[in-house]
Amino acid sequence: MSEPIIQTRGLSKEFARDQFKVVALNGADLTVDKGEFVALMGPSGSGKSTLLHLIAAMDRPTSGDINVLGQNLRGLSESAIAKWRNAHIGFVFQSFNLLPVLTALENVELPLKLTKLSKSQRIEHARRALELVGLADRLDHTPRQLSGGQEQRVAIARAIVTDPDLLLADEPTGNLDAVSAREVLTLLGRLNREFGKTVVMVTHDPHAARAASKIRYLDKGALLPEGQQPEDWEVR
Amino acid sequence: MAIPLSYNLRNLAARKTTTIMTALGIALTVAVLLSISALAEGLRTSLETSGHPLHLLVMRTGASAELVSAVTQEQYGVVKTKPGIAKDASGNPMASLELVTVIVLESPENPGGINVTVRGLTIAGLKMREGARISEGRMFTPGRREVVVGKGIAAKYPMARIGGKLQFGRGDWEVVGVLDAGRSVANSEIFCDLAQIASDQNRENGLSSILVRAENEVSMQALIDDLKADRRLKPEALSEKAYLAQQTQSAAPVRAVGMFVSVIMAVGSCFAAMNTMYAAVARRSAEIGTLRVLGFSRTGILASFLIESLLLSLIGGLLGCLLVLPLNNVGTAIGSITTFSEITFQFAVTPRIMAVGVAFALVLGAVGGVFPAWSAARKQILTALRQV
Ligand SMILES: Nc1ncnc2c1ncn2[C@@H]1O[C@H](COP(=O)(O)OP(=O)(O)OP(=O)(O)O)[C@@H](O)[C@H]1O
Ligand SMILES: [Mg+2]
């Protein structure tokens, strides 16, 4: 009935730091179905970002299997991954990461430069994405001229402009005030419900997590079974 | 479809000061190179337009320049009767016996004086220089102590203007006219009556050279061979063009020094561009990571930073051209080693030279930009994102 969009088996990532090995992610088995909105939570350093980066193929796992949107990521070349990411993944950063010298419209148009769309089509798509995030009146503003919440909404417009199936967000509300954070969460919720985007969001904020349909916890590199929280989680 | 050019242009505009400083460094390098080229080009056209294609110059064996050559009246008699020599309207052979000497003229820039060529010739010699005309005053009168000066000389030496007196040989010579010889070297010479200067210098039979015009290109080579084979003469005979081309080498040391300076400046401005671009890559590390996450390839990143460096150097190159443009047609002079005298000519900032200058700037930008661009392309996505 439900179709898995992300499937990892024994996914591990180790980093070598000085002489030591840091196990950032240890044998994670994660399944995310199409249309889900999953929040990843857990203490700092528990491996949330690492897992998200592996899903976005921004990094390669040390071991284990990862299948995203029916694509086995381990077998792809780097240039194939770049194209795949452009077409299928929208990524939202904690610090927005807009290009400061470009306007809102140009920032949103940027991923479309890698598609076959004509200039007018690109502008049209970018304009519509910005309308969707409620910034139709800010097209020509540069990131400096926008508030944090507006910047993050431009970043979300940029993430969805290629109409990807999967939206990944790493603490998207981490740098925002409460009001802006709520706007961003509402937006992600809408994208999930109305536009059928599958969303995986890393967050520290229990309020934020409430926007999700499911919460998965990580602890010390391990992905805990569904429904299970880290032992001292409530205390924190 | 790649990272848009406006991204690079606006980044260059965003860090205005570094952009201007770096571009200025490149501009100065290009300006030095262009000045040298314009000088060489000016000298080259001056010497090239000087020689008549059918003229040949007869000198003593082994003489590398007219000044160190010696020919006699008898030899002149032999030369002018050779077959293959062109005839003027009245049927006389076009062969001109000439005497070349050097005098020292003072100018405001060179109070110590500079060597200037004085050429004694006859009506025959004047007739053979069709490209030259009197632009002011009149031609010297044979048998009088009168001279006409090339326009380059007139412009540079206050004492060599019409009505002025030049002192050499046995007394004063009156300047009666100015000769305009286009861009030719005749502009840098002083002309007077052959008989007058020969007696002045006690050289009635120690003249310098014979200028001869061949009937056509075919007879030219035959004439050279004929002259060289003549035992009475045993001369050095070569085309005037070839002779003048030899003189161009006098610019070689200037050019070498100029090239040396511009190479050093090139290395400097190349490193400056590299430094600027490395700083840009470091400052925009997170942007590089973001672009990669959006799907841009390593090649796309490499191209973008390389293009940015090329744009930077293009600005520098164009700026360099603007800097040297005012030099165009500015008169200058260069001491000739083989003739021991000075040739005046004009800087020639031609479009071709400017194109070379801009190309040179682009090479600097490419060399300076390739390593930073490569370092930007090599970054791992996560490493790039983490560096803020
Ligand atoms: N490039 C790296 N080199 C070495 N160690 C790393 C690297 N990236 C992550 N780690 C380590 O891996 C572990 C997991 O990191 P990760 O960023 O996934 O945690 P996180 O759950 O996102 O934490 P936070 O909530 O603070 O963002 C941490 O101990 C971290 O120090
Ligand atoms: Mg994290």
Side-chain angles (χ1 to χ4, degrees):
Chain A
M1 32 154 244
S2 58
E3 165 190 350
I5 216 166
I6 300 171
Q7 209 157 24
T8 77
R9 288 293 167 262
L11 194 66
S12 297
K13 179 71 190 178
E14 290 170 6
F15 291 104
R17 191 148 57 190
D18 303 327
Q19 303 297 330
F20 299 99
K21 228 170 38 180
V22 181
V23 181
L25 193 65
N26 191 3
D29 295 335
L30 173 72
T31 302
V32 175
D33 288 332
K34 189 167 170 55
E36 276 193 306
F37 187 158
V38 177
L40 295 178
M41 296 191 80
S44 184
S46 57
K48 307 180 293 290
S49 294
T50 301
L51 177 56
L52 206 65
H53 294 153
L54 292 175
I55 295 169
M58 286 156 64
D59 206 354
R60 302 231 183 219
T62 311
S63 63
D65 274 325
I66 178 161
N67 196 302
V68 181
L69 297 158
Q71 183 70 56
N72 182 354
L73 296 185
R74 299 205 68 173
L76 285 184
S77 74
E78 197 173 68
S79 61
I81 282 177
K83 286 195 191 93
W84 172 84
R85 198 189 300 112
N86 177 254
H88 301 292
I89 304 285
F91 202 97
V92 180
F93 303 88
Q94 176 173 358
S95 45
F96 327 133
N97 287 9
L98 298 176
L99 302 193
V101 296
L102 301 184
T103 65
L105 189 69
E106 288 163 341
N107 264 288
V108 176
E109 186 200 345
L110 206 52
L112 298 177
K113 287 265 183 189
L114 292 165
T115 66
K116 290 196 179 75
L117 295 180
S118 70
K119 174 82 186 164
S120 58
Q121 285 173 314
R122 292 201 302 265
I123 297 291
E124 187 49 40
H125 281 60
R127 199 188 288 273
R128 247 189 282 141
L130 278 164
E131 267 165 31
L132 188 72
V133 300
L135 289 174
D137 55 342
R138 292 285 188 279
L139 303 184
D140 294 328
H141 290 220
T142 59
R144 262 164 175 245
Q145 300 165 319
L146 298 170
S147 72
Q150 290 171 331
E151 275 196 77
Q152 192 61 303
R153 283 189 280 152
V154 173
I156 291 172
R158 179 178 68 183
I160 59 171
V161 76
T162 55
D163 197 23
D165 307 294
L166 186 55
L167 222 49
L168 304 174
D170 196 349
E171 303 190 38
T173 59
N175 284 9
L176 299 180
D177 63 277
V179 177
S180 302
R182 205 174 313 124
E183 282 172 358
V184 162
L185 290 168
T186 312
L187 188 55
L188 289 174
R190 259 188 75 202
L191 289 168
N192 173 244
R193 274 175 279 105
E194 291 177 30
F195 295 87
K197 307 275 175 222
T198 308
V199 182
V200 178
M201 172 179 74
V202 170
T203 183
H204 274 288
D205 178 9
H207 293 285
R210 238 167 269 152
S213 53
K214 184 192 278 184
I215 304 180
R216 294 294 302 267
Y217 291 91
L218 283 104
D219 193 16
K220 302 189 189 79
L223 179 69
L224 303 183
E226 247 181 282
Q228 195 174 321
Q229 297 185 0
E231 277 158 24
D232 50 354
W233 185 248
E234 234 55 72
V235 189
R236 298 166 29 106
Chain B
M1 287 294 138
I3 301 168
L5 217 57
S6 54
Y7 172 67
N8 304 112
L9 286 171
R10 281 185 221 164
N11 270 301
L12 286 172
R15 48 184 156 94
K16 234 185 269 104
T17 320
T18 21
T19 299
I20 291 173
M21 295 313 283
T22 315
L24 216 54
I26 294 171
L28 289 176
T29 310
V30 168
V32 168
L33 181 82
L34 286 185
S35 319
I36 296 302
S37 312
L39 185 128
E41 179 71 10
L43 182 60
R44 197 180 60 76
T45 45
S46 161
L47 290 175
E48 239 175 33
T49 55
S50 304
H52 189 289
L54 292 177
H55 279 181
L56 55 93
L57 193 65
V58 183
M59 295 186 294
R60 187 182 69 186
T61 316
S64 60
E66 290 178 276
L67 197 63
V68 294
S69 166
V71 294
T72 61
Q73 293 280 1
E74 296 84 70
Q75 287 173 322
Y76 176 56
V78 172
V79 168
K80 72 174 174 188
T81 54
K82 290 279 179 195
I85 294 182
K87 303 279 187 300
D88 66 13
S90 36
N92 298 317
M94 297 182 84
S96 161
L97 183 60
E98 306 189 352
L99 187 150
V100 170
T101 185
V102 158
I103 62 168
V104 175
L105 282 188
E106 291 155 27
S107 72
E109 304 120 67
N110 290 82
I114 292 272
N115 285 344
V116 172
T117 299
V118 176
R119 184 179 297 273
L121 33 60
T122 58
I123 301 293
L126 292 172
K127 276 188 188 157
M128 287 174 71
R129 289 170 169 80
E130 290 106 337
R133 53 175 193 89
I134 295 289
S135 61
E136 247 183 279
R138 58 172 174 83
M139 183 48 72
F140 62 80
T141 318
R144 289 225 198 130
R145 302 179 69 84
E146 291 175 351
V147 297
V148 297
V149 297
K151 67 174 177 186
I153 300 288
K156 210 170 154 193
Y157 303 96
M159 68 224 289
R161 307 234 162 98
I162 289 185
K165 293 247 190 304
L166 301 179
Q167 256 193 327
F168 60 89
R170 292 197 189 130
D172 285 349
W173 297 71
E174 195 188 346
V175 180
V176 296
V178 175
L179 193 77
D180 182 346
R183 290 202 157 210
S184 124
V185 286
N187 285 328
S188 319
E189 295 185 343
I190 297 175
F191 298 87
C192 62
D193 179 36
L194 177 69
Q196 192 65 40
I197 189 155
S199 75
D200 224 54
Q201 304 231 332
N202 282 329
R203 284 176 62 180
E204 281 91 346
N205 221 6
L207 302 139
S208 303
S209 58
I210 305 164
L211 187 67
V212 177
R213 180 175 300 174
E215 276 170 344
N216 52 52
E217 275 163 43
V218 183
S219 62
M220 175 122 170
Q221 191 53 49
L223 193 53
I224 290 178
D225 296 341
D226 186 5
L227 286 166
K228 280 189 171 171
D230 195 317
R231 290 229 191 91
R232 291 165 295 178
L233 300 167
K234 278 198 287 175
E236 204 66 52
L238 74 173
S239 78
E240 193 184 16
K241 289 266 184 206
Y243 174 73
L244 290 169
Q246 280 178 6
Q247 311 302 305
T248 326
Q249 290 161 353
S250 58
V254 180
R255 236 156 124 181
V257 170
M259 286 299 168
F260 181 68
V261 171
S262 53
V263 162
I264 289 182
M265 289 181 70
V267 171
S269 54
C270 194
F271 272 109
M274 195 180 297
N275 202 41
T276 301
M277 288 313 295
Y278 266 125
V281 169
R283 200 172 327 102
R284 272 143 63 195
S285 181
E287 295 181 34
I288 293 165
T290 306
L291 287 165
R292 294 281 306 280
V293 171
L294 294 179
F296 289 94
S297 63
R298 287 184 194 271
T299 322
I301 303 285
L302 180 90
S304 180
F305 277 92
L306 200 53
I307 285 168
E308 190 163 316
S309 183
L310 288 173
L311 286 172
L312 180 61
S313 62
L314 182 66
I315 296 171
L318 295 176
L319 217 58
C321 288
L322 283 183
L323 286 178
V324 293
L325 222 43
L327 265 190
N328 201 16
N329 288 329
V330 167
T332 188
I334 194 162
S336 162
I337 298 202
T338 40
T339 59
F340 304 106
S341 61
E342 209 187 39
I343 296 168
T344 58
F345 59 93
Q346 276 137 32
F347 277 91
V349 187
T350 61
R352 192 188 62 85
I353 283 180
M354 287 197 281
V356 168
V358 170
F360 182 66
L362 289 175
V363 168
L364 292 184
V367 173
V370 70
F371 296 103
W374 175 244
S375 82
R378 263 185 38 193
K379 282 179 198 285
Q380 298 292 335
I381 295 180
L382 293 180
T383 320
L385 283 172
R386 223 178 299 116
Q387 291 168 351
V388 181

